[in-house]
Amino acid sequence: MFNKKQYCFFCSKPFCKMARHLAQVHKNEVEVAKALSFPKGSKERRIHLDLLRNKGNRVHNNTVLKAGKGVLVPRQSTVKHVNVKDYMHCLNCQGLFRRKALWRHMQRCNLAKKCQVTKQGRSRVQSLCAYAQPVPEGVTKKLWKLISDMKQDEVTQAVKSDACIIKFGEHLCNKMGSDKTKHEYIRTKMREAGRMLVCARKLGNLQSIKDFFTPSNFYHCITAVKYTAGFRDEDEVFTVPSLALKLGHNLKKMSDIAECEAMIAGEENDVKNAKIFKQMYATKWNECVSASALKTLNEAKWNSPELLPFTEDVKKMHMHLSNQTKLYQEKLKLEKSQKNWSNLAQITLCEVILFNRRRAGEVSKMRLNSYLLRNTSVLHSDVADALSEVEQKLCQHFQRIEIRGKRDRKVPVLLTPSMLESMELLVSNRQKCGVVDENVFFFAKPMTEASFYHGTECIRKVAHQCGAKHPKNLSSTKLRKHIATLSKVLNLTDTEMDQLADFLGHDIRVHRKFYRLPEGTLQLAKISKVLMALEQGRVAEFKGKNLDEIHLEPYEKVSACSDESESEDEESEMPPGKRSSSASREESLVGSKSLRESEPQLKKRHQVSSTSKSTELSPGHMSAEKEPSKPGVSKGRKRAWSEGEVKAVENKLLDCITSGRVPGKRQCEDCIRSAPVLLQNRTWEAVKFYIKNRITALKRESEKRK
C-alpha cells in the first residue's frame, strides 16, 4: 500500500512520505540529523528512519487506545480494520505487529540488542512487550508489571479489562507486593478471577465482575463458578473442588473492595448491591457451592495411603549429604566457579531442611541478613546453671538463626558446624561466583536479581541420587510428619509437645490433628482391642485398665462350649463333693474382681509354699497329667509340679495369673515351646489347669482377708 499514512513523531500529523517530511520539516531535530548523516541507501540510515516512523505511529496508537476510538497503524497489515486484541507493539523498534508473529519478529529485529530476553518462547516475548504498552489510568506501574508478566491470553485480557479485578490486584499488591516471592501468588489470584469472568461471558449472563454483585444475578454467579470449577450435575461433584472454594473467597473479598470504592465515590446503589450480595453469600453460598466442594475434597482423601519416610532412607540421605558436602567444599576452595557455588548451595539447602525438618519454602527464601545478623553470643551463666552438662555442650555445638516462616511467623533454624562451614564458604565467595549484590536471598541463583534455589527440587534430586528405596517419600512435608509421628513414641509431656510444635512452626492443634500417629494406625492398634474384647465377651476382665495395658491375641477365639468343657475338666481334677459344676463355671468366669498382686509378691509366696509344703500338695500346686484310658476307668495319678516347671510357666503366663484370665490352647502351647526341656512331660491341658488352680487359690486367699 503506497497510500498508507504514517504519523510524525514531532508534529503528530499523517504523511505518506515520512522520510521526505522529516528531511524537509524536522531536519534540525537531533534524531533526524543523526539519521540523515548516514549515506542514502545505507542500512544505518534506513534503521534510524524506521525507528522514527514507528515512534510516531506508537504515539498515535497509544492515543487511540486511551481514547477508545480511532484507527491503529500496524507495521504490516493486509486488513483495513485492526483488532486491538490481536496486535502488540515491539519492545525494540516500537512497531505494531500481530501477537502470534511477534516472537518471530523479535528474533530478526534490528534493534533486538536493547532487549535482554532471558527465555525463549512466545509467552515470554509477549510479556516483555506487554509491559512496554502504556499504563492505563488508575493502575500503578508495579501492578502493571505484574499483569504484564502473565501469559498473554484471553484470561489476561479479561483481567486488564475489568476494574474490579484491577482493584483486587491492587489490594493484594499493597498488602504483600513488597515481597517478590509473593508476586506469583498475586498473579494466580487475579487469573482465577479472570478465568471466572471468561466463563461467565461465555454463558452470556454476566459481562463484568460488577454484574456478579447485582442481587438478581446471584444464581447466574453460582452457575459461572460451577462452570469454571467443572461441576458435574449427574453426581454433583466438582472436577476442581479447591478452585470453587477459592473463587468464593475471591468474590467475597472483591465485594468488600467494591463496597469500599462505591462508598468513596458516593454511589449508593453499588453500596447497596454489595451489601445484599454479602448477605446472600453468607446464607446460600455454603448450600450451593461450598458443601459439594468440601464433600469432594474430603472423600478424595478417604482410603488414601499415608506414606511416611523410612528410617533407612533418611539415614542414606544424611550420609549422602555429608559426603557431597565435603566434596563440594573442597571443589569450591580450589576453584571459585558458579557451578561449584551452586552445587554447594543446593546441598547445604537440603541439609538444613532435612536436619531441622523445616518447610522447604521457608529455608529457600532465607535472607542473607538473617545469617549475617544471627545471635552468636555465649550462653548466659545463670541460664547455663539450669542446664545439664550435656545440654550445655549442645548449646556450644549448635548455632541458631531466626527466619521468616509461614504467615510471617518467626521460626528458628539450628545449624551444625558442618553447615556453618559450608555457609561461610558460600558467603565469602558470592561475588566471585557471580551472585549479584541486589539478590537478598542466601541460596541465590548466580546472575539473577530475585531468584533462589527451591528446596523442593533440591530434595527431590538428592532423594534419587542417594539410593533410597522410596525416594518419593522423602519430601519436606513428609519429613515433618515423620518427626511428629515418631515423637509419639517418646511419650512427651504437653509442655514438651508444645515446644516441638513451636519449633516446627505450627499450632499444637494442627500438630495433634495432622502430624501425630496416623488415624488408621491408631484405630488398628488401639481400638481394635476393645472391639475384640466385646466380641469375646471379656470386657469385665480388663476393668480399670487403659488401652496400652490390654493384651489380646489377634487369632484368639472363644468357643461356645468353652465354659462347659473347662468346668467338666476341673471336676475331674478336684475331689468329689468339693465343688459343683455350676460353682466351677462361675469361678472360670472370674474377671477383674479377682486379686491383682504384683509379680514379686506372687513369686515370693510361691517359693515359701513350695518349701514348706513339699510333701503335702495344695490344690494350687497340683495338676493331673492326663493319660489314655478307657471310658469309666479312673484317671492317672497326680504328679507334683517341680520348681523349674513352675518358673517356666510363670515366665510366660504370669500375666494370666495376675489378671485372673485362663489362657487358651495357643498360649499354653507357646509356653511349652518356650521351655521344651522343663515342660516336656506336660500337656497344654495340664498347663491350663495349673493356671486355673493358681487363680482359684489366689481368689480364696483374697476372700479370707476380707
Side-chain angles (χ1 to χ4, degrees):
M1 295 176 64
F2 296 97
N3 60 349
K4 181 180 178 180
K5 292 186 178 182
Q6 315 283 347
Y7 285 82
C8 178
F9 178 65
F10 302 102
C11 61
S12 302
K13 295 180 181 180
F15 295 94
C16 294
K17 303 294 183 179
M18 183 56 61
R20 181 189 302 171
H21 169 74
L22 292 175
Q24 293 177 355
V25 181
H26 303 290
K27 60 182 178 180
N28 294 327
E29 298 290 342
V30 177
E31 295 178 355
V32 177
K34 183 178 180 180
L36 297 177
S37 64
F38 295 101
K40 287 186 178 182
S42 63
K43 182 178 179 180
E44 290 79 7
R45 183 187 180 103
R46 179 172 57 83
I47 291 174
H48 283 76
L49 290 176
D50 285 345
L51 181 60
L52 289 173
R53 184 184 297 109
N54 292 338
K55 282 185 176 180
N57 293 335
R58 177 69 184 273
V59 173
H60 168 75
N61 292 336
N62 290 344
T63 304
V64 172
L65 292 173
K66 289 182 178 180
K69 59 182 180 179
V71 179
L72 295 175
V73 182
R75 185 69 177 84
Q76 294 177 348
S77 177
T78 58
V79 295
K80 189 172 183 180
H81 298 285
V82 176
N83 188 355
V84 65
K85 295 181 180 180
D86 298 333
Y87 284 81
M88 184 176 288
H89 286 95
C90 174
L91 181 63
N92 304 317
C93 65
Q94 309 296 319
L96 187 64
F97 295 88
R98 287 184 64 85
R99 188 186 298 272
K100 294 182 179 180
L102 185 60
W103 66 275
R104 188 182 296 111
H105 163 76
M106 292 283 285
Q107 290 181 346
R108 58 192 181 191
C109 182
N110 294 321
L111 300 176
K113 293 182 179 180
K114 292 184 178 181
C115 177
Q116 298 294 332
V117 181
T118 57
K119 294 182 180 179
Q120 299 296 330
R122 303 184 185 184
S123 298
R124 181 64 182 175
V125 169
Q126 292 183 19
S127 297
L128 291 171
C129 295
Y131 182 59
Q133 292 181 356
V135 181
E137 295 182 1
V139 182
T140 61
K141 290 184 177 180
K142 190 173 185 179
L143 179 61
W144 186 249
K145 178 66 171 63
L146 288 174
I147 298 174
S148 300
D149 288 339
M150 295 181 187
K151 181 180 179 181
Q152 301 301 310
D153 54 6
E154 60 176 352
V155 177
T156 303
Q157 294 299 325
V159 169
K160 292 180 180 179
S161 64
D162 193 86
C164 290
I165 300 180
I166 294 294
K167 292 295 182 182
F168 180 50
E170 286 183 355
H171 166 76
L172 296 175
C173 196
N174 294 333
K175 185 177 180 180
M176 58 186 71
S178 58
D179 188 358
K180 293 183 178 180
T181 60
K182 300 292 181 63
H183 288 181
E184 185 62 33
Y185 172 79
I186 298 174
R187 285 191 288 268
T188 301
K189 302 305 289 185
M190 295 180 70
R191 284 188 66 86
E192 288 173 359
R195 289 166 60 188
M196 180 178 62
L197 181 58
V198 170
C199 293
R201 288 173 177 174
K202 289 181 180 179
L203 295 175
N205 297 311
L206 305 171
Q207 299 300 321
S208 66
I209 296 296
K210 189 176 180 180
D211 296 339
F212 281 67
F213 306 141
T214 304
S216 59
N217 293 333
F218 184 75
Y219 285 107
H220 296 310
C221 171
I222 292 176
T223 304
V225 171
K226 288 184 175 181
Y227 180 68
T228 307
F231 184 75
R232 299 195 300 265
D233 292 326
E234 56 273 11
D235 52 0
E236 297 185 353
V237 172
F238 283 96
T239 305
V240 191
S242 59
L243 179 60
L245 297 175
K246 292 175 183 178
L247 292 178
H249 298 321
N250 293 347
L251 280 172
K252 179 68 166 52
K253 178 58 67 175
M254 285 190 288
S255 65
D256 292 336
I257 297 172
E259 182 184 0
C260 181
E261 293 293 331
M263 287 180 178
I264 295 174
E267 299 175 356
E268 297 295 334
N269 188 34
D270 292 343
V271 173
K272 181 180 178 181
N273 288 343
K275 289 183 178 180
I276 295 175
F277 173 81
K278 288 191 291 185
Q279 293 176 359
M280 298 169 68
Y281 178 91
T283 305
K284 299 288 291 183
W285 194 265
N286 182 44
E287 169 192 342
C288 299
V289 179
S290 299
S292 298
L294 290 172
K295 177 185 176 183
T296 306
L297 280 175
N298 293 331
E299 289 183 357
K301 297 177 182 178
W302 294 354
N303 297 321
S304 60
E306 299 175 354
L307 301 176
L308 293 178
F310 291 92
T311 305
E312 189 66 26
D313 288 346
V314 176
K315 184 179 178 181
K316 286 182 180 180
M317 195 172 184
H318 273 293
M319 295 177 64
H320 177 77
L321 288 174
S322 179
N323 296 333
Q324 293 294 105
T325 299
K326 295 178 182 178
L327 175 63
Y328 289 126
Q329 283 179 355
E330 296 297 329
K331 286 187 176 182
L332 185 58
K333 290 177 183 178
L334 295 175
E335 182 183 359
K336 309 297 190 294
S337 64
Q338 291 184 10
K339 182 179 179 181
N340 293 336
W341 195 94
S342 300
N343 290 333
L344 183 59
Q346 294 179 60
I347 290 296
T348 306
L349 174 59
C350 290
E351 200 172 9
V352 174
I353 294 173
L354 183 61
F355 180 77
N356 290 273
R357 298 302 197 270
R358 293 246 65 86
R359 295 183 180 91
E362 294 174 350
V363 184
S364 301
K365 291 183 278 190
M366 184 176 73
R367 303 297 181 97
L368 178 62
N369 286 337
S370 299
Y371 176 77
L372 297 177
L373 302 178
R374 69 187 186 279
N375 184 12
T376 58
S377 59
V378 184
L379 186 64
H380 196 276
S381 58
D382 294 340
V383 179
D385 293 338
L387 302 177
S388 65
E389 184 178 353
V390 176
E391 292 172 341
Q392 293 179 15
K393 291 181 179 180
L394 290 176
C395 291
Q396 298 174 359
H397 182 77
F398 294 102
Q399 286 195 18
R400 178 178 176 271
I401 62 175
E402 295 174 345
I403 63 176
R404 179 179 296 177
K406 188 177 181 180
R407 296 183 178 178
D408 293 334
R409 287 193 294 251
K410 177 187 69 177
V411 292
V413 171
L414 303 183
L415 302 177
T416 64
S418 175
M419 298 177 195
L420 288 170
E421 183 180 357
S422 299
M423 297 175 85
E424 286 293 337
L425 272 174
L426 293 173
V427 172
S428 60
N429 295 290
R430 281 175 68 94
Q431 294 182 346
K432 298 178 183 178
C433 296
V435 181
V436 297
D437 295 335
E438 289 79 9
N439 198 323
V440 299
F441 299 106
F442 187 93
F443 299 102
K445 290 184 178 180
M447 308 303 296
T448 60
E449 294 184 1
S451 184
F452 52 86
Y453 289 106
H454 294 273
T456 304
E457 298 175 1
C458 296
I459 290 178
R460 187 185 299 115
K461 182 170 66 174
V462 172
H464 285 85
Q465 292 176 352
C466 68
K469 293 182 179 180
H470 304 278
K472 292 184 179 180
N473 295 349
L474 296 174
S475 64
S476 61
T477 302
K478 291 177 181 177
L479 287 169
R480 287 164 60 80
K481 290 188 177 182
H482 182 250
I483 183 177
T485 300
L486 295 184
S487 65
K488 183 71 166 56
V489 181
L490 302 178
N491 196 20
L492 303 179
T493 63
D494 291 341
T495 304
E496 294 169 338
M497 193 63 69
D498 289 340
Q499 293 174 356
L500 177 62
D502 183 64
F503 178 80
L504 291 175
H506 52 240
D507 189 76
I508 185 63
R509 293 170 295 179
V510 177
H511 181 85
R512 287 171 177 163
K513 186 175 181 181
F514 298 104
Y515 287 86
R516 291 283 288 275
L517 194 66
E519 183 181 6
T521 304
L522 188 66
Q523 292 174 352
L524 287 172
K526 304 290 185 182
I527 309 301
S528 61
K529 293 193 286 188
V530 178
L531 299 178
M532 287 176 60
L534 288 170
E535 180 187 21
Q536 299 175 9
R538 298 167 54 186
V539 177
E541 297 181 19
F542 308 111
K543 183 178 180 181
K545 294 185 177 182
N546 56 33
L547 292 177
D548 294 330
E549 294 175 349
I550 297 176
H551 300 286
L552 282 173
E553 293 291 335
Y555 298 104
E556 185 176 349
K557 295 183 179 180
V558 179
S559 60
C561 58
S562 59
D563 296 341
E564 222 174 281
S565 61
E566 285 181 11
S567 62
E568 291 175 357
D569 290 338
E570 286 168 20
E571 278 189 4
S572 64
E573 297 296 325
M574 293 297 173
K578 290 286 184 178
R579 182 178 307 174
S580 65
S581 60
S582 60
S584 63
R585 186 179 297 110
E586 291 177 0
E587 290 183 2
S588 65
L589 297 176
V590 173
S592 60
K593 293 183 180 180
S594 62
L595 178 64
R596 295 188 182 93
E597 295 187 357
S598 61
E599 183 176 347
Q601 291 175 344
L602 282 172
K603 290 184 177 180
K604 184 176 180 181
R605 180 177 290 109
H606 179 70
Q607 290 174 359
V608 173
S609 62
S610 61
T611 54
S612 61
K613 300 182 180 181
S614 58
T615 57
E616 184 179 355
L617 298 176
S618 66
H621 297 84
M622 186 178 294
S623 176
E625 185 176 10
K626 293 188 177 182
E627 297 177 358
S629 60
K630 298 180 180 180
V633 180
S634 62
K635 304 272 180 141
R637 63 180 180 83
K638 298 176 182 179
R639 186 166 54 86
W641 283 73
S642 64
E643 186 175 354
E645 291 175 331
V646 171
K647 288 184 178 179
V649 173
E650 288 182 346
N651 289 337
K652 190 69 176 178
L653 301 175
L654 185 60
D655 57 336
C656 294
I657 300 174
T658 56
S659 63
R661 177 170 55 87
V662 178
K665 179 180 178 181
R666 185 184 297 274
Q667 288 179 284
C668 296
E669 290 178 346
D670 291 341
C671 178
I672 295 173
R673 282 194 293 269
S674 65
V677 178
L678 294 173
L679 300 176
Q680 60 182 347
N681 296 323
R682 299 290 182 179
T683 61
W684 72 269
E685 293 95 338
V687 176
K688 173 183 177 180
F689 292 121
Y690 170 77
I691 299 297
K692 175 60 182 174
N693 294 337
R694 288 283 302 274
I695 294 172
T696 304
L698 292 175
K699 182 176 179 297
R700 287 179 178 176
E701 291 182 8
S702 63
E703 290 177 351
K704 288 179 181 179
R705 291 195 189 97
K706 294 178 181 179

